Each structure stands twice: as structure tokens, then as C-alpha cells.
Amino acid sequence: MKSLLFLVLISVCWAEPHSDNSSLGHERIVHIQEDGPRLLVVAEQAKIFSRRGGNVTLPCKFYHEHTSTAGSGTHKIRIKWTKLTSDYLKEVDVFVAMGHHRKSYGNYQGRVLLRESSENDASLIITNIILEDYGRYKCEVIEGLEDDTAVVALNLEGVVFPYSPRLGRYNLNFHEAQLACLDQDSVIASFDQLYDAWRSGLDWCNAGWLSDGSVQYPITKPREPCGGKNTVPGVRNYGFWDKDKSRYDVFCFTSNFNGRFYYLIHPTKLTYDEAVQACLKDGAQIAKVGQIFAAWKLLGYDRCDAGWLADGSVRYPISRPRKRCSPNEAAVRFVGFPDKKHRLYGVYCFRAYN
């Protein structure tokens, strides 16, 4: 009897009136079918690489298991793209499509659309990539009571750099750290970005905020002031701290830019205010810290002249180490935050392309 009942429950699902007794006209015999083809969502690539200002396609297709059909034809297909936050606790709406209806959200408005190269193609095209687009995206396809998801990571070519303000070491809470990066043409870096930078040789002994709210720092050359010389290289983790009260430095991430970064040839050295005006007179603006790092890392920019930057710091980029110009390593050398009114230096400018 139990076997017969089980067979009834997994067979066909429909409802029909009971024919033996008219007084039971409102009763129904229910038959359930659960052996139909299952909806599957697949990302052909789990990781996609792009750069700021470019266009990218996040792949996503959907099928029914053991069939070549995209949908059952019974229900409309709903496609939803969201972005996962760095702590994976929230999802940010990006794009939704159902039939002819389309809607994009936030700073994705006007920049996203479905590729729709076939009836089962749910791939998302993102145009004019910005730094904030970096991260993991979820493609969800819904048909009736069925749904499935796939996750695609969007990575950007770029550079991670440590940053602290004029006030000095460990003076930024998490929110101030975010703004500090934005002010320097960058965003607060993720753990994955810092880890990749560490694997590429980044070594920095000051702990800094990351986008998930953790505080970490990368060490490639273990030494006493940085956790001890007998420790193994790695990304050291201080854990998660109070975003309002705790104060650290920050690791920022920036990518390529649409413009020209250059050292301004000027007959004299300049105070900070004179440097700002000299760039403006040349049809440009005084360059930001993120721009000097991007020019150094991505374009191989090399110059042994110290120059003012927008935050009031003085730095110079060396991609070819040599005597008197960072002889031991390629780096953006940091001179400091000199007196803006009395110290004289050159200046680095940035002219954006239209």
C-alpha cells in the first residue's frame, strides 16, 4: 500500500472532481509529478578580466537537464543579475528582465543589457566599466517554481597601493578610508586584490582597511617590526574592527585612466599652490595618488623628479631602479607631506581625454 501511495505522489500532477458523490464536488484528487527536466544555469567562465572604461560580457546560459530546450514554454523566464557584497551578506540589484520588460539599478543604469545571442542566453553586458564594478555577480534564472543560479567574478587590471593621509599613520576609520581612496581616483581594495598584490611582491608593514571591513597587511620579507623575522610571508590579518572607532591606514585599488599623466616641465620649483595653478594653466589638473600609481604600474612611467600631488604629498615613480633613483626596487617613492607654503618641488599633472 505504501509503495502504491508513493507511485501516486511522484506521478502526474493535476486536479479533477470526485465523480462518485456529487456532495464532494469541491474535493480534488491531487497527482504530483516531480520527474520533469530540471532548470540549470551555467556560467561558461567563472572569472572575467577587464579594465576601467572597457566593456565586458558576464556569461550565463540556462537549460533544462537532459534536453536542449531553454524553457518549458509554460512560464515566462525571469532573469535577475545581482552583485554580491564583499562580505557576502547582501546582494545589490543590477538588472532584471522578464519578457519585454527591462530594468537596471543604481549606477548600472544605462550601462547594462542582456546579450541574448540565443533563446537561452542570459549573459550580461556591462559597458564603460568603473572601479566599483569589480566583484562577484550572481545570475539567477526563474521559471515558475524553478530557479537556479551561477556566479561570475569580474576582475579589473590595476594596482593596489597603501595610503595614509597627512595626519600620519593609523588615522582613518573605515568610512574615512573609503573617502580617502575615492579622493585619490581609486576605491578601497578587496582582500583578493591585496592577496594578488602580495603575490606580485607588495610588502607593507602598516595595517590597512579592506572593503570587507577587515584590517590586514602584506609581508613578503618577514622582519622583526612586522610580525617577526621567523614568521612565514603572507597577508597578515588583524580581523574585523569597529568601522567608526578603530583607526588604521587603507589599501586602495585603481586601474588605467583615460587621460595623460605627466611631469610638468617648468622653469622653477613650486610651492603647492603654485603647482596647482601651473597644472591648470597647462589645461590639466594636479595629479592624484591613484594616477601616479596607475601610470607607474600599468604604463611603466619612470621619472626621478619629486613632484607635488593633489593630496599635498610629494612622490616620484621609478620603474627602472638605478643609483640615486630607488636603487633597490621599482616603486613609487614617497618623500612625505612637506610644508605647502615654503617647500619647493616640481609637479605631476593629469589631463583627462574627452
Side-chain angles (χ1 to χ4, degrees), residues 8 19 22 37 60 77 92 144-145 182 227-228 257 262 320 343 345 352:
V8 170
S19 59
S22 60
C60 181
I77 299 291
V92 178
L145 297 177
L182 289 174
F257 45 69
Y262 61 100
R320 300 186 302 276
R343 298 299 299 272
Y345 291 96

Side-chain angles (χ1 to χ4, degrees), residues 31-276:
H31 309 264
I32 302 173
Q33 176 176 336
E34 293 184 351
D35 56 355
R38 185 166 62 92
L39 180 68
L40 297 176
V41 175
V42 178
E44 296 162 337
Q45 293 175 262
K47 187 178 291 187
I48 301 295
F49 291 86
S50 188
R51 56 190 301 172
R52 179 162 56 175
N55 302 331
V56 70
T57 299
L58 305 183
C60 181
K61 291 189 175 183
F62 57 97
Y63 309 89
H64 277 83
E65 194 175 29
H66 309 309
T67 75
S68 59
T69 59
S72 65
T74 307
H75 304 280
K76 282 188 176 181
I77 299 291
R78 184 172 185 261
I79 298 169
K80 182 178 182 181
W81 280 90
T82 55
K83 184 182 180 186
L84 306 176
T85 56
S86 57
D87 55 12
Y88 295 97
L89 296 179
K90 297 180 181 178
E91 295 182 18
V92 178
D93 289 339
V94 174
F95 182 83
V96 175
M98 185 170 182
H100 297 294
H101 299 286
R102 304 282 191 274
K103 185 174 183 180
S104 53
Y105 297 85
N107 61 17
Y108 294 96
Q109 293 185 48
R111 297 195 300 120
V112 292
L113 67 155
L114 292 182
R115 182 172 63 181
E116 297 181 295
S117 62
S118 61
E119 63 177 4
N120 67 328
D121 187 6
S123 302
L124 186 73
I125 297 173
I126 306 178
T127 62
N128 192 23
I129 294 290
I130 60 177
L131 294 177
E132 291 82 356
D133 291 340
Y134 168 90
R136 289 176 172 82
Y137 291 79
K138 186 175 80 173
C139 171
E140 181 178 18
V141 179
I142 304 166
E143 183 185 23
L145 297 177
E146 285 193 272
D147 72 280
D148 195 21
T149 62
V151 175
V152 183
L154 173 58
N155 283 8
L156 299 182
E157 177 187 10
V159 57
V160 171
F161 61 94
Y163 186 78
S164 58
R166 174 178 287 274
L167 293 173
R169 181 174 179 258
Y170 294 174
N171 267 288
L172 300 170
N173 67 24
F174 178 78
H175 311 291
E176 292 165 344
Q178 286 181 308
L179 292 175
C181 289
L182 289 174
D183 286 344
Q184 300 310 316
D185 191 43
S186 59
V187 293
I188 190 168
S190 70
F191 169 76
D192 289 342
Q193 289 169 331
L194 182 64
Y195 180 78
D196 288 343
W198 167 74
R199 291 186 62 188
S200 298
L202 180 62
D203 181 280
W204 196 254
C205 200
N206 292 349
W209 291 105
L210 296 177
S211 60
D212 62 357
S214 66
V215 176
Q216 310 195 37
Y217 64 101
I219 294 297
T220 58
K221 301 182 288 289
R223 51 202 183 274
E224 284 302 335
C226 306
K229 64 180 181 180
N230 295 322
T231 58
V232 297
V235 177
R236 309 283 168 77
N237 190 346
Y238 275 16
F240 295 88
W241 292 82
D242 189 306
K243 291 183 177 181
D244 296 313
K245 297 179 181 178
S246 300
R247 294 188 173 272
Y248 292 96
D249 292 347
V250 63
F251 289 98
C252 303
F253 173 83
T254 192
S255 185
N256 63 298
F257 45 69
N258 184 29
R260 178 188 172 217
F261 173 89
Y262 61 100
Y263 181 82
L264 180 65
I265 303 301
H266 195 274
T268 62
K269 299 297 184 181
L270 307 162
T271 65
Y272 176 80
D273 290 339
E274 290 170 343
V276 170

